[in-house]
Amino acid sequence: MENLIKDIHLDLPLPTNEVKSFLVRGTYFYYHYKCDGTNDVGWGCGYRTLQTICSWIKEQLNHQKLDSIPEIECRILHCRNISELQKHFSDIKDHFVQYGSPVMMGGDRDCSSKGILGISETDESIFLLILDPHFTGHPKYSEKLQNDGWIKWQNIDELHPSSFL
């Protein structure tokens, strides 16, 4: 689609005092509310995050067909609190090392879906690179979307506690 931005995270600075980071590898497109003319505000965030993940798969496979279910296996991690999320740092890191695909995260105060494009460890905390599908405009520049927080590094300690209910 011509109004979708590719690889929106590029040129976004890493968190301050970054020790190690693991990021999405390969090309994907940023799907967000209303990006195809469908008014999905309020209900489409999960679909848009899934479209972003599917765009990565499509680009990686170079439009090849998937032959079997095991080729598209997924894993679900349920975290009841920030402490449990911190314990899964190595699982998330390993995902980016092995596969490099975007990850879907549900929750937060608004129970909304978001894409995770990376994980970073600093001297003091862990950050997730969050891609928010709730944008409703017509994006033209990654830099503006980065400045407005539609793609951002977020300290996991700043996630709302209701994210884990």
Side-chain angles (χ1 to χ4, degrees):
M1 298 184 108
E2 54 196 58
N3 63 340
L4 296 175
I5 292 183
K6 186 189 306 187
D7 304 328
I8 188 175
H9 74 288
L10 296 180
D11 300 323
L12 187 68
L14 292 168
T16 305
N17 300 322
E18 178 260 351
V19 174
K20 55 186 171 181
S21 296
F22 305 91
L23 301 170
V24 65
R25 292 187 322 270
T27 296
Y28 63 91
F29 290 91
Y30 173 42
Y31 282 84
H32 54 85
Y33 281 167
K34 298 184 177 183
C35 67
D36 59 5
T38 300
N39 185 356
D40 56 338
V41 173
W43 59 267
C45 58
Y47 295 101
R48 298 309 185 175
T49 302
L50 183 58
Q51 284 180 301
T52 296
I53 293 169
C54 289
S55 75
W56 180 90
I57 293 169
K58 185 177 177 181
E59 292 296 313
Q60 298 313 301
L61 294 175
N62 196 19
H63 310 284
Q64 296 175 19
K65 184 178 125 185
L66 290 173
D67 292 327
S68 65
I69 290 174
E71 290 179 283
I72 56 172
E73 281 180 359
C74 70
R75 181 174 174 199
I76 297 173
L77 299 175
H78 181 250
C79 300
R80 292 177 291 204
N81 53 47
I82 291 171
S83 175
E84 285 187 20
L85 181 58
Q86 289 170 330
K87 290 177 185 175
H88 285 292
F89 174 83
S90 63
D91 294 321
I92 299 168
K93 172 199 74 116
D94 291 345
H95 170 82
F96 285 108
V97 169
Q98 277 189 305
Y99 306 105
S101 70
V103 173
M104 182 182 282
M105 179 176 127
D108 210 355
R109 181 179 357 192
D110 55 9
C111 299
S112 300
S113 170
K114 296 184 179 53
I116 305 301
L117 302 179
I119 189 165
S120 182
E121 186 174 24
T122 67
D123 293 330
E124 299 176 4
S125 192
I126 296 170
F127 288 76
L128 296 175
L129 182 54
I130 297 178
L131 179 62
D132 190 339
H134 297 90
F135 177 76
T136 59
H138 296 285
K140 297 201 188 291
Y141 306 104
S142 294
E143 183 179 355
K144 171 111 173 88
L145 292 167
Q146 291 172 0
N147 291 340
D148 291 349
W150 297 105
I151 175 80
K152 66 181 177 183
W153 286 104
Q154 181 159 1
N155 186 322
I156 65 169
D157 294 332
E158 295 173 0
L159 294 172
H160 196 276
S162 72
S163 297
F164 305 98
L165 298 176

